[in-house]
Amino acid sequence: MTFEPSFGPSVNPDAPPRRVAVIGAGVAGLAAARILRDHGAHVAVFEKSRGLGGRLATRRPFGRDDPFGLDHGAPFAEPSARYPETAKTLTALEAEAAAAAAEGGAMSASSVVHPLAARAPALRVSFETEIASIAVGAEDYLLRDLGGAAHGPFHAVIAAAPAPQTRALLGDLCPEAETEARYHAVAAVLAAFDPAPEGAAQEARIDAPTPPLTGVWRMGAKPGRRLGASAAGAREGWVGHAAPDWSAAHLQTDKDAIAEALWPALAESARLDPAARPAYLAGHRWRYGVVAEAVGRAYWLGAPHTPAAGLGCCGDWRLGPKAGDALASGEALGRALAARLATLTLG
């Protein structure tokens, strides 16, 4: 088909043909974006938060440029049980991230996705930009963010956000899009010490943590981690995740109150003195923390020769809760959309 802009001049009039927008800079979105970029598309990624990774998230309690981090989302980038080939890709990404950390960077859960965005030519990512709507033109799409700014037009748009957010973006445009998935909420407590306390648990994952926590991880024991140093000594940190029922009951609870409520359980789990306050203590709420029931199909892409032909969605909620599921979903959609875009005749 012939591309005729329906929304006026492009934000970037010199951009190459086959312009694609990806909403979400987690594993799935970046995997899809990387494949499309490798096929010659000009890809713009929009991320509502301040960094890459989605639920492979890392908090920098001592400053964004400090190497010490607390992985408060998914603790590890695990391969998919359904798509075991993702293990090889994730291992390669972790090796690239570790090499970058060895040169002065910082290794964290979110580091695993950085190579997807940074490989030359690097992807263009707009951070702290939440897309609120997608408008369909004659043969293109225009995005608007929460501030009302327009982005585009694009030949295609990928939604790589959690299922409810994807449904909000695509629902009226693509009522047939498969966006039903079920999640468990996750409430997290984050604690950092400077210097590291003596006598604490040394293992990377604590067995049988104190309820309501179901998972507790020590940051310094994770593979490839380089602890931040201070004048007082090496820093250390722990992250705990609460059970789904406790987390769901506290979705509206203030984050500081979550931290205070979960700190005693974290301290007991990690053999910490509950009276010795951490240098940093915080709570976090993941409304869409872990995929409990996935769609079961790798991606959705609109039917050819329809207004939705350039719209698609991907994410861990398509296949399962692990990073490998998100990777497999994003790569599958990236390949399918690249093949479709290759058939376009652009004017």
Side-chain angles (χ1 to χ4, degrees):
M1 64 186 185
T2 302
F3 171 66
E4 296 178 358
S6 305
F7 303 106
S10 170
V11 172
N12 182 3
D14 298 322
R18 295 171 179 82
R19 294 186 291 276
V20 181
V22 175
I23 303 170
V27 177
L30 292 177
R34 185 73 263 170
I35 285 178
L36 288 160
R37 188 67 184 85
D38 289 345
H39 281 77
H42 176 82
V43 183
V45 181
F46 299 93
E47 170 56 45
K48 68 177 184 178
S49 71
R50 296 190 297 174
L52 304 174
R55 283 189 295 279
L56 282 173
T58 302
R59 184 81 57 85
R60 303 287 176 193
F62 301 110
R64 297 187 68 180
D65 296 328
D66 192 284
F68 181 84
L70 296 166
D71 299 332
H72 62 298
F76 299 99
E78 297 181 277
S80 169
R82 185 171 179 175
Y83 295 88
E85 63 272 16
T86 60
K88 182 177 180 180
T89 302
L90 288 173
T91 298
L93 291 172
E94 288 174 336
E96 288 188 54
E103 295 178 0
M107 187 67 181
S108 65
S110 60
S111 299
V112 175
V113 305
H114 284 218
L116 289 170
R119 291 173 185 164
L123 292 169
R124 179 167 63 87
V125 183
S126 298
F127 295 106
E128 298 183 289
T129 304
E130 184 171 355
I131 299 302
S133 65
I134 305 170
V136 181
E139 293 179 330
D140 53 44
Y141 306 92
L142 184 75
L143 309 184
R144 287 196 181 276
D145 62 34
L146 283 180
H151 306 270
F154 299 98
H155 300 105
V157 179
I158 287 176
Q165 296 169 4
T166 295
R167 186 159 53 246
L169 282 168
L170 299 182
D172 293 339
L173 303 175
C174 312
E176 76 282 11
E178 302 161 317
T179 56
E180 295 301 323
R182 191 166 59 87
Y183 291 85
H184 288 318
V186 174
V189 56
L190 300 71
F193 291 83
D194 186 5
E198 296 181 0
Q202 298 298 302
E203 55 266 40
R205 176 168 185 154
I206 306 298
D207 292 329
T210 301
L213 298 179
T214 56
V216 173
W217 299 270
R218 174 176 170 255
M219 298 299 103
K222 289 187 173 186
R225 293 307 193 270
R226 181 169 65 86
L227 293 180
S230 70
R235 295 167 177 158
E236 184 55 281
W238 283 264
V239 170
H241 286 178
D245 55 349
W246 195 97
S247 300
H250 291 81
L251 275 176
Q252 304 304 320
T253 301
D254 178 78
K255 294 179 183 180
D256 291 339
I258 286 176
E260 293 297 334
L262 294 178
W263 163 241
L266 182 66
E268 182 174 340
S269 300
R271 300 198 297 274
L272 301 166
D273 180 0
R277 298 290 291 182
Y280 177 87
L281 181 66
H284 190 82
R285 302 182 302 261
W286 294 98
R287 181 176 294 275
Y288 311 117
V290 178
V291 175
E293 185 175 337
V295 170
R297 285 168 289 279
Y299 65 90
W300 176 86
L301 182 61
H305 313 299
T306 70
L311 297 176
C313 59
C314 60
D316 57 0
W317 56 273
R318 303 290 313 179
L319 295 175
K322 297 181 178 179
D325 295 311
L327 180 69
S329 173
E331 288 185 338
L333 178 54
R335 289 190 293 268
L337 184 54
R340 179 168 295 179
L341 290 174
T343 67
L344 299 183
T345 301
L346 306 180

PDB file of all heavy atoms in Angstrom, residues 61-62 68-70 190-195 197 235-238 263 266 277-282:
ATOM      1  N   PRO A  61      19.388   3.051  45.318  1.00  0.00           N
ATOM      2  CA  PRO A  61      19.090   3.801  46.546  1.00  0.00           C
ATOM      3  C   PRO A  61      20.085   4.896  46.873  1.00  0.00           C
ATOM      4  O   PRO A  61      19.749   5.830  47.613  1.00  0.00           O
ATOM      5  CB  PRO A  61      19.102   2.711  47.629  1.00  0.00           C
ATOM      6  CG  PRO A  61      19.955   1.630  47.077  1.00  0.00           C
ATOM      7  CD  PRO A  61      19.708   1.646  45.602  1.00  0.00           C
ATOM      8  N   PHE A  62      21.312   4.808  46.353  1.00  0.00           N
ATOM      9  CA  PHE A  62      22.324   5.808  46.668  1.00  0.00           C
ATOM     10  C   PHE A  62      22.619   6.733  45.478  1.00  0.00           C
ATOM     11  O   PHE A  62      23.674   7.340  45.406  1.00  0.00           O
ATOM     12  CB  PHE A  62      23.612   5.113  47.127  1.00  0.00           C
ATOM     13  CG  PHE A  62      23.408   4.250  48.344  1.00  0.00           C
ATOM     14  CD1 PHE A  62      23.475   2.867  48.251  1.00  0.00           C
ATOM     15  CD2 PHE A  62      23.119   4.808  49.581  1.00  0.00           C
ATOM     16  CE1 PHE A  62      23.284   2.062  49.365  1.00  0.00           C
ATOM     17  CE2 PHE A  62      22.924   4.014  50.699  1.00  0.00           C
ATOM     18  CZ  PHE A  62      23.000   2.639  50.592  1.00  0.00           C
ATOM     19  N   PHE A  68      25.528   0.418  43.077  1.00  0.00           N
ATOM     20  CA  PHE A  68      24.757  -0.474  43.935  1.00  0.00           C
ATOM     21  C   PHE A  68      23.273  -0.398  43.579  1.00  0.00           C
ATOM     22  O   PHE A  68      22.708   0.693  43.440  1.00  0.00           O
ATOM     23  CB  PHE A  68      24.951  -0.109  45.403  1.00  0.00           C
ATOM     24  CG  PHE A  68      24.195  -1.013  46.341  1.00  0.00           C
ATOM     25  CD1 PHE A  68      24.736  -2.214  46.727  1.00  0.00           C
ATOM     26  CD2 PHE A  68      22.942  -0.652  46.790  1.00  0.00           C
ATOM     27  CE1 PHE A  68      24.034  -3.059  47.575  1.00  0.00           C
ATOM     28  CE2 PHE A  68      22.241  -1.488  47.646  1.00  0.00           C
ATOM     29  CZ  PHE A  68      22.780  -2.696  48.033  1.00  0.00           C
ATOM     30  N   GLY A  69      22.645  -1.558  43.442  1.00  0.00           N
ATOM     31  CA  GLY A  69      21.231  -1.584  43.093  1.00  0.00           C
ATOM     32  C   GLY A  69      20.464  -2.648  43.847  1.00  0.00           C
ATOM     33  O   GLY A  69      21.027  -3.636  44.335  1.00  0.00           O
ATOM     34  N   LEU A  70      19.163  -2.447  43.962  1.00  0.00           N
ATOM     35  CA  LEU A  70      18.238  -3.396  44.569  1.00  0.00           C
ATOM     36  C   LEU A  70      17.256  -3.851  43.494  1.00  0.00           C
ATOM     37  O   LEU A  70      16.486  -3.038  42.965  1.00  0.00           O
ATOM     38  CB  LEU A  70      17.474  -2.744  45.728  1.00  0.00           C
ATOM     39  CG  LEU A  70      18.306  -2.293  46.931  1.00  0.00           C
ATOM     40  CD1 LEU A  70      17.474  -1.375  47.829  1.00  0.00           C
ATOM     41  CD2 LEU A  70      18.815  -3.489  47.722  1.00  0.00           C
ATOM     42  N   LEU A 190      12.352  -3.209  50.266  1.00  0.00           N
ATOM     43  CA  LEU A 190      13.731  -3.055  49.835  1.00  0.00           C
ATOM     44  C   LEU A 190      14.541  -2.479  50.988  1.00  0.00           C
ATOM     45  O   LEU A 190      14.130  -1.478  51.589  1.00  0.00           O
ATOM     46  CB  LEU A 190      13.838  -2.100  48.641  1.00  0.00           C
ATOM     47  CG  LEU A 190      13.113  -2.401  47.334  1.00  0.00           C
ATOM     48  CD1 LEU A 190      11.605  -2.243  47.447  1.00  0.00           C
ATOM     49  CD2 LEU A 190      13.613  -1.476  46.233  1.00  0.00           C
ATOM     50  N   ALA A 191      15.669  -3.102  51.283  1.00  0.00           N
ATOM     51  CA  ALA A 191      16.513  -2.610  52.370  1.00  0.00           C
ATOM     52  C   ALA A 191      17.970  -2.626  51.934  1.00  0.00           C
ATOM     53  O   ALA A 191      18.464  -3.631  51.424  1.00  0.00           O
ATOM     54  CB  ALA A 191      16.336  -3.473  53.613  1.00  0.00           C
ATOM     55  N   ALA A 192      18.660  -1.488  52.122  1.00  0.00           N
ATOM     56  CA  ALA A 192      20.085  -1.382  51.794  1.00  0.00           C
ATOM     57  C   ALA A 192      20.854  -0.940  53.034  1.00  0.00           C
ATOM     58  O   ALA A 192      20.367  -0.112  53.814  1.00  0.00           O
ATOM     59  CB  ALA A 192      20.298  -0.382  50.660  1.00  0.00           C
ATOM     60  N   PHE A 193      22.057  -1.490  53.188  1.00  0.00           N
ATOM     61  CA  PHE A 193      22.901  -1.195  54.353  1.00  0.00           C
ATOM     62  C   PHE A 193      24.250  -0.661  53.887  1.00  0.00           C
ATOM     63  O   PHE A 193      24.805  -1.111  52.883  1.00  0.00           O
ATOM     64  CB  PHE A 193      23.130  -2.462  55.184  1.00  0.00           C
ATOM     65  CG  PHE A 193      21.902  -2.960  55.876  1.00  0.00           C
ATOM     66  CD1 PHE A 193      20.996  -3.758  55.201  1.00  0.00           C
ATOM     67  CD2 PHE A 193      21.645  -2.618  57.187  1.00  0.00           C
ATOM     68  CE1 PHE A 193      19.849  -4.222  55.830  1.00  0.00           C
ATOM     69  CE2 PHE A 193      20.505  -3.080  57.833  1.00  0.00           C
ATOM     70  CZ  PHE A 193      19.607  -3.883  57.146  1.00  0.00           C
ATOM     71  N   ASP A 194      24.765   0.301  54.630  1.00  0.00           N
ATOM     72  CA  ASP A 194      26.071   0.883  54.339  1.00  0.00           C
ATOM     73  C   ASP A 194      26.730   1.231  55.681  1.00  0.00           C
ATOM     74  O   ASP A 194      26.415   2.247  56.285  1.00  0.00           O
ATOM     75  CB  ASP A 194      25.896   2.140  53.479  1.00  0.00           C
ATOM     76  CG  ASP A 194      27.220   2.712  53.009  1.00  0.00           C
ATOM     77  OD1 ASP A 194      28.263   2.075  53.272  1.00  0.00           O
ATOM     78  OD2 ASP A 194      27.214   3.780  52.371  1.00  0.00           O
ATOM     79  N   PRO A 195      27.628   0.343  56.177  1.00  0.00           N
ATOM     80  CA  PRO A 195      28.187  -0.855  55.536  1.00  0.00           C
ATOM     81  C   PRO A 195      27.293  -2.069  55.711  1.00  0.00           C
ATOM     82  O   PRO A 195      26.271  -1.999  56.392  1.00  0.00           O
ATOM     83  CB  PRO A 195      29.508  -1.050  56.279  1.00  0.00           C
ATOM     84  CG  PRO A 195      29.189  -0.571  57.673  1.00  0.00           C
ATOM     85  CD  PRO A 195      28.258   0.607  57.481  1.00  0.00           C
ATOM     86  N   PRO A 197      25.837  -5.376  57.186  1.00  0.00           N
ATOM     87  CA  PRO A 197      25.770  -5.826  58.576  1.00  0.00           C
ATOM     88  C   PRO A 197      26.477  -7.173  58.755  1.00  0.00           C
ATOM     89  O   PRO A 197      26.547  -7.981  57.835  1.00  0.00           O
ATOM     90  CB  PRO A 197      24.271  -5.952  58.823  1.00  0.00           C
ATOM     91  CG  PRO A 197      23.696  -6.243  57.471  1.00  0.00           C
ATOM     92  CD  PRO A 197      24.541  -5.472  56.499  1.00  0.00           C
ATOM     93  N   ARG A 235      28.622  -2.109  50.699  1.00  0.00           N
ATOM     94  CA  ARG A 235      27.181  -2.050  50.907  1.00  0.00           C
ATOM     95  C   ARG A 235      26.562  -3.415  50.652  1.00  0.00           C
ATOM     96  O   ARG A 235      27.135  -4.264  49.989  1.00  0.00           O
ATOM     97  CB  ARG A 235      26.556  -1.006  49.975  1.00  0.00           C
ATOM     98  CG  ARG A 235      27.007   0.413  50.274  1.00  0.00           C
ATOM     99  CD  ARG A 235      26.616   1.338  49.147  1.00  0.00           C
ATOM    100  NE  ARG A 235      26.987   2.724  49.460  1.00  0.00           N
ATOM    101  CZ  ARG A 235      27.158   3.658  48.546  1.00  0.00           C
ATOM    102  NH1 ARG A 235      27.025   3.381  47.263  1.00  0.00           N
ATOM    103  NH2 ARG A 235      27.479   4.887  48.906  1.00  0.00           N
ATOM    104  N   GLU A 236      25.364  -3.597  51.152  1.00  0.00           N
ATOM    105  CA  GLU A 236      24.627  -4.824  50.919  1.00  0.00           C
ATOM    106  C   GLU A 236      23.142  -4.521  50.994  1.00  0.00           C
ATOM    107  O   GLU A 236      22.733  -3.496  51.563  1.00  0.00           O
ATOM    108  CB  GLU A 236      25.017  -5.887  51.955  1.00  0.00           C
ATOM    109  CG  GLU A 236      24.388  -7.249  51.748  1.00  0.00           C
ATOM    110  CD  GLU A 236      24.628  -7.830  50.362  1.00  0.00           C
ATOM    111  OE1 GLU A 236      23.927  -7.398  49.417  1.00  0.00           O
ATOM    112  OE2 GLU A 236      25.500  -8.702  50.219  1.00  0.00           O
ATOM    113  N   GLY A 237      22.351  -5.378  50.380  1.00  0.00           N
ATOM    114  CA  GLY A 237      20.917  -5.150  50.392  1.00  0.00           C
ATOM    115  C   GLY A 237      20.126  -6.424  50.222  1.00  0.00           C
ATOM    116  O   GLY A 237      20.636  -7.431  49.719  1.00  0.00           O
ATOM    117  N   TRP A 238      18.869  -6.373  50.658  1.00  0.00           N
ATOM    118  CA  TRP A 238      17.935  -7.487  50.523  1.00  0.00           C
ATOM    119  C   TRP A 238      16.623  -6.956  49.981  1.00  0.00           C
ATOM    120  O   TRP A 238      16.228  -5.814  50.240  1.00  0.00           O
ATOM    121  CB  TRP A 238      17.688  -8.156  51.869  1.00  0.00           C
ATOM    122  CG  TRP A 238      18.781  -9.062  52.341  1.00  0.00           C
ATOM    123  CD1 TRP A 238      18.854 -10.418  52.200  1.00  0.00           C
ATOM    124  CD2 TRP A 238      19.964  -8.661  53.037  1.00  0.00           C
ATOM    125  NE1 TRP A 238      20.024 -10.888  52.753  1.00  0.00           N
ATOM    126  CE2 TRP A 238      20.724  -9.839  53.284  1.00  0.00           C
ATOM    127  CE3 TRP A 238      20.478  -7.442  53.480  1.00  0.00           C
ATOM    128  CZ2 TRP A 238      21.945  -9.829  53.935  1.00  0.00           C
ATOM    129  CZ3 TRP A 238      21.701  -7.422  54.135  1.00  0.00           C
ATOM    130  CH2 TRP A 238      22.423  -8.609  54.360  1.00  0.00           C
ATOM    131  N   TRP A 263       9.160  -5.007  56.974  1.00  0.00           N
ATOM    132  CA  TRP A 263      10.542  -4.994  57.456  1.00  0.00           C
ATOM    133  C   TRP A 263      10.822  -6.038  58.534  1.00  0.00           C
ATOM    134  O   TRP A 263      11.836  -6.743  58.456  1.00  0.00           O
ATOM    135  CB  TRP A 263      10.922  -3.592  57.938  1.00  0.00           C
ATOM    136  CG  TRP A 263      12.146  -3.545  58.803  1.00  0.00           C
ATOM    137  CD1 TRP A 263      12.227  -3.115  60.092  1.00  0.00           C
ATOM    138  CD2 TRP A 263      13.477  -3.962  58.456  1.00  0.00           C
ATOM    139  NE1 TRP A 263      13.511  -3.232  60.563  1.00  0.00           N
ATOM    140  CE2 TRP A 263      14.303  -3.756  59.576  1.00  0.00           C
ATOM    141  CE3 TRP A 263      14.043  -4.496  57.299  1.00  0.00           C
ATOM    142  CZ2 TRP A 263      15.649  -4.057  59.592  1.00  0.00           C
ATOM    143  CZ3 TRP A 263      15.405  -4.799  57.312  1.00  0.00           C
ATOM    144  CH2 TRP A 263      16.191  -4.577  58.434  1.00  0.00           C
ATOM    145  N   LEU A 266      11.353  -9.330  56.815  1.00  0.00           N
ATOM    146  CA  LEU A 266      12.600  -9.333  56.059  1.00  0.00           C
ATOM    147  C   LEU A 266      13.792  -9.488  56.997  1.00  0.00           C
ATOM    148  O   LEU A 266      14.726 -10.267  56.715  1.00  0.00           O
ATOM    149  CB  LEU A 266      12.726  -8.040  55.244  1.00  0.00           C
ATOM    150  CG  LEU A 266      13.972  -7.930  54.360  1.00  0.00           C
ATOM    151  CD1 LEU A 266      13.943  -8.957  53.235  1.00  0.00           C
ATOM    152  CD2 LEU A 266      14.103  -6.517  53.772  1.00  0.00           C
ATOM    153  N   ARG A 277      18.238  -0.031  61.891  1.00  0.00           N
ATOM    154  CA  ARG A 277      17.540   0.456  60.696  1.00  0.00           C
ATOM    155  C   ARG A 277      18.473   0.500  59.485  1.00  0.00           C
ATOM    156  O   ARG A 277      19.626   0.932  59.597  1.00  0.00           O
ATOM    157  CB  ARG A 277      16.991   1.853  60.951  1.00  0.00           C
ATOM    158  CG  ARG A 277      15.985   1.906  62.068  1.00  0.00           C
ATOM    159  CD  ARG A 277      14.678   1.228  61.693  1.00  0.00           C
ATOM    160  NE  ARG A 277      13.958   1.963  60.670  1.00  0.00           N
ATOM    161  CZ  ARG A 277      12.769   1.611  60.190  1.00  0.00           C
ATOM    162  NH1 ARG A 277      12.198   0.507  60.624  1.00  0.00           N
ATOM    163  NH2 ARG A 277      12.181   2.332  59.263  1.00  0.00           N
ATOM    164  N   PRO A 278      17.988   0.071  58.332  1.00  0.00           N
ATOM    165  CA  PRO A 278      18.806   0.145  57.118  1.00  0.00           C
ATOM    166  C   PRO A 278      19.089   1.591  56.727  1.00  0.00           C
ATOM    167  O   PRO A 278      18.367   2.519  57.116  1.00  0.00           O
ATOM    168  CB  PRO A 278      17.919  -0.537  56.053  1.00  0.00           C
ATOM    169  CG  PRO A 278      16.871  -1.269  56.815  1.00  0.00           C
ATOM    170  CD  PRO A 278      16.671  -0.520  58.090  1.00  0.00           C
ATOM    171  N   ALA A 279      20.142   1.781  55.932  1.00  0.00           N
ATOM    172  CA  ALA A 279      20.407   3.109  55.380  1.00  0.00           C
ATOM    173  C   ALA A 279      19.303   3.524  54.417  1.00  0.00           C
ATOM    174  O   ALA A 279      19.038   4.716  54.219  1.00  0.00           O
ATOM    175  CB  ALA A 279      21.763   3.103  54.668  1.00  0.00           C
ATOM    176  N   TYR A 280      18.663   2.516  53.821  1.00  0.00           N
ATOM    177  CA  TYR A 280      17.569   2.783  52.874  1.00  0.00           C
ATOM    178  C   TYR A 280      16.518   1.712  53.087  1.00  0.00           C
ATOM    179  O   TYR A 280      16.822   0.506  53.083  1.00  0.00           O
ATOM    180  CB  TYR A 280      18.095   2.728  51.443  1.00  0.00           C
ATOM    181  CG  TYR A 280      17.039   2.910  50.370  1.00  0.00           C
ATOM    182  CD1 TYR A 280      16.681   4.178  49.924  1.00  0.00           C
ATOM    183  CD2 TYR A 280      16.403   1.809  49.798  1.00  0.00           C
ATOM    184  CE1 TYR A 280      15.719   4.343  48.936  1.00  0.00           C
ATOM    185  CE2 TYR A 280      15.450   1.978  48.809  1.00  0.00           C
ATOM    186  CZ  TYR A 280      15.110   3.240  48.385  1.00  0.00           C
ATOM    187  OH  TYR A 280      14.160   3.403  47.412  1.00  0.00           O
ATOM    188  N   LEU A 281      15.277   2.123  53.297  1.00  0.00           N
ATOM    189  CA  LEU A 281      14.161   1.200  53.452  1.00  0.00           C
ATOM    190  C   LEU A 281      12.984   1.747  52.664  1.00  0.00           C
ATOM    191  O   LEU A 281      12.595   2.904  52.831  1.00  0.00           O
ATOM    192  CB  LEU A 281      13.781   1.048  54.929  1.00  0.00           C
ATOM    193  CG  LEU A 281      12.635   0.082  55.231  1.00  0.00           C
ATOM    194  CD1 LEU A 281      13.022  -1.355  54.902  1.00  0.00           C
ATOM    195  CD2 LEU A 281      12.210   0.197  56.697  1.00  0.00           C
ATOM    196  N   ALA A 282      12.432   0.917  51.776  1.00  0.00           N
ATOM    197  CA  ALA A 282      11.343   1.389  50.914  1.00  0.00           C
ATOM    198  C   ALA A 282      10.410   0.229  50.592  1.00  0.00           C
ATOM    199  O   ALA A 282      10.782  -0.944  50.675  1.00  0.00           O
ATOM    200  CB  ALA A 282      11.890   2.001  49.627  1.00  0.00           C
TER     201      ALA A 282
END
